[in-house]
Amino acid sequence: VSTSRPPHTRHRARGGAALSKAEAELWQAWKHASDSVISRVEHDIAEATGLSGADYGVLSQLVELGRGKLRQQELADSLSWHKSRLSHHLSRMEARALVRRTPAKTNVVLVAITASGKQALRSARPGHARSVRAHLTRKVLPAERKHCLALLIRLDNE
Amino acid sequence: VSTSRPPHTRHRARGGAALSKAEAELWQAWKHASDSVISRVEHDIAEATGLSGADYGVLSQLVELGRGKLRQQELADSLSWHKSRLSHHLSRMEARALVRRTPAKTNVVLVAITASGKQALRSARPGHARSVRAHLTRKVLPAERKHCLALLIRLDNE
DNA sequence: CAAGATTGAACCCTCAATCTTA
DNA sequence: TAAGATTGAGGGTTCAATCTTG
């Protein structure tokens, strides 16, 4: 009915040969796991505090990387976000008074967490920690932790 | 990444104690890796064929799970998608003639891949396989593959 | 010109409400 | 009522174009 079912793709993985069963399995597992861990944590935070995962990431980078303030571009880099994504997002966060933008020297914009941003972050932290533990760190056994970290870093690079 | 942890938040180490350095490290690595692997693959597919990762997932489930057709609900389950996400997405795909929806017996809608959907999928497959290999499967060493798969499944469950 | 930032259009996803039919 | 599906609103993300200033 459809395209040819790949009959024997097992022995040689040439340029565009179909994924082997093992490869497809790994890919599916990766898609599902990466999707579900992140979205569970984000769901937990949002439910408890009204902050999205993105909001939480912005606020915590501001306090942990800067001491409450960062240049916008530096913030974008630390989050691996496109600058326009950050720009749009900060507009929304600014409207909610979580951050404030102030033009600085030349071409640069400083982003600062506000008092209510700090408050929101403070009250979100415990739940965030609980959620990360429940959905990620508790499920990675101590024995595999180091190895797992190395793999994740390898996957992120290049 | 500076890490001055307020010492006075430590003694209340109930459920919500701040993440340890190791935990935070794992969480950051997870966020970055899961984000970048998926988005690299999606970017590659989109660039080569104009299909999004979501499009590709829908089309391949249709041919691999059904034989070109599936009940909408079943399709949603297999993708772990909310039904409304699938409904919206199918509307867009239907407008591009990649799939066709036909109401069946009772309350059920059958989703079928069209000829051009098959064509699009066929031409996207080799690039998809190359991309998945480049960004995921080749980076997981043979020795760690099995272990990695088990971890991913563990993370997805519960 | 280049770097930093913004904007608007188009697309995507979630949530809650709704429609339809058994 | 319940299951299957749709709809609309509202955020969120990307891309390309634009603005601004050194």
Side-chain angles (χ1 to χ4, degrees):
Chain A
V1 137
S2 62
T3 60
S4 55
R5 216 143 282 272
H8 16 297
T9 52
R10 189 77 46 164
H11 42 6
R12 189 153 35 172
R14 294 221 19 120
L19 293 175
S20 70
K21 186 153 182 266
E23 288 172 317
E25 195 176 33
L26 190 59
W27 169 241
Q28 288 298 325
W30 178 265
K31 274 199 301 185
H32 284 121
S34 61
D35 206 80
S36 68
V37 173
I38 301 283
S39 64
R40 281 167 191 161
V41 173
E42 294 193 338
H43 181 269
D44 287 350
I45 302 176
E47 186 167 22
T49 69
L51 293 178
S52 69
D55 297 333
Y56 188 88
V58 166
L59 296 179
S60 43
Q61 287 299 79
L62 284 178
V63 317
E64 276 154 38
L65 195 63
R67 285 178 29 96
K69 280 184 181 204
L70 279 176
R71 287 174 37 230
Q72 189 164 319
Q73 177 203 13
E74 200 173 349
L75 181 53
D77 291 344
S78 76
L79 294 163
S80 306
W81 281 13
H82 290 321
K83 61 191 173 169
S84 94
R85 174 176 179 184
L86 183 58
S87 185
H88 283 303
H89 203 88
L90 289 179
S91 297
R92 294 185 295 261
M93 290 181 78
E94 209 169 15
R96 294 190 288 150
L98 295 169
V99 298
R100 183 171 36 248
R101 274 188 282 203
T102 58
K105 298 292 171 191
T106 103
N107 278 343
V108 180
V109 170
L110 273 186
V111 186
I113 190 170
T114 61
S116 41
K118 281 178 200 164
Q119 176 52 37
L121 180 59
R122 231 189 324 269
S123 67
R125 260 203 260 254
H128 175 260
R130 269 195 302 277
S131 183
V132 168
R133 287 197 184 101
H135 301 305
L136 180 69
T137 62
R138 284 231 172 88
K139 290 171 147 183
V140 178
L141 308 176
E144 63 191 357
R145 197 203 143 264
K146 193 174 163 160
H147 193 231
C148 172
L149 185 60
L151 173 59
L152 292 175
I153 288 168
R154 192 154 82 233
L155 287 171
D156 190 28
N157 287 338
E158 172 203 357
Chain B
V1 179
S2 121
T3 67
S4 58
R5 273 300 157 239
H8 53 281
T9 60
R10 191 95 57 187
H11 60 323
R12 226 183 225 292
R14 280 282 56 82
L19 293 176
S20 70
K21 188 154 180 259
E23 288 172 315
E25 195 175 31
L26 189 59
W27 170 241
Q28 288 298 326
W30 178 264
K31 273 199 301 185
H32 284 121
S34 60
D35 207 79
S36 67
V37 172
I38 302 283
S39 63
R40 282 168 191 161
V41 173
E42 295 192 338
H43 182 269
D44 288 349
I45 303 176
E47 186 167 20
T49 69
L51 293 178
S52 69
D55 297 333
Y56 189 88
V58 166
L59 296 180
S60 44
Q61 286 300 79
L62 285 178
V63 318
E64 276 154 37
L65 196 63
R67 285 176 28 95
K69 277 183 191 251
L70 279 176
R71 287 175 37 233
Q72 189 164 320
Q73 176 79 288
E74 202 173 347
L75 181 53
D77 290 345
S78 76
L79 294 163
S80 304
W81 282 13
H82 290 321
K83 61 191 173 167
S84 95
R85 175 177 180 182
L86 183 57
S87 185
H88 283 301
H89 203 87
L90 289 179
S91 298
R92 294 186 296 260
M93 291 182 77
E94 208 168 17
R96 294 190 288 150
L98 294 169
V99 298
R100 184 171 33 248
R101 276 188 280 202
T102 57
K105 295 296 171 188
T106 102
N107 278 344
V108 181
V109 170
L110 272 186
V111 185
I113 190 170
T114 62
S116 42
K118 282 177 201 168
Q119 176 52 38
L121 180 59
R122 230 187 327 265
S123 68
R125 263 204 259 252
H128 175 260
R130 269 194 302 277
S131 184
V132 168
R133 284 196 187 103
H135 302 305
L136 180 68
T137 62
R138 284 228 173 93
K139 291 171 146 182
V140 177
L141 308 176
E144 62 191 359
R145 200 206 139 262
K146 192 173 163 157
H147 193 228
C148 173
L149 185 60
L151 173 59
L152 292 175
I153 288 169
R154 193 154 83 234
L155 287 170
D156 189 29
N157 287 337
E158 176 221 355

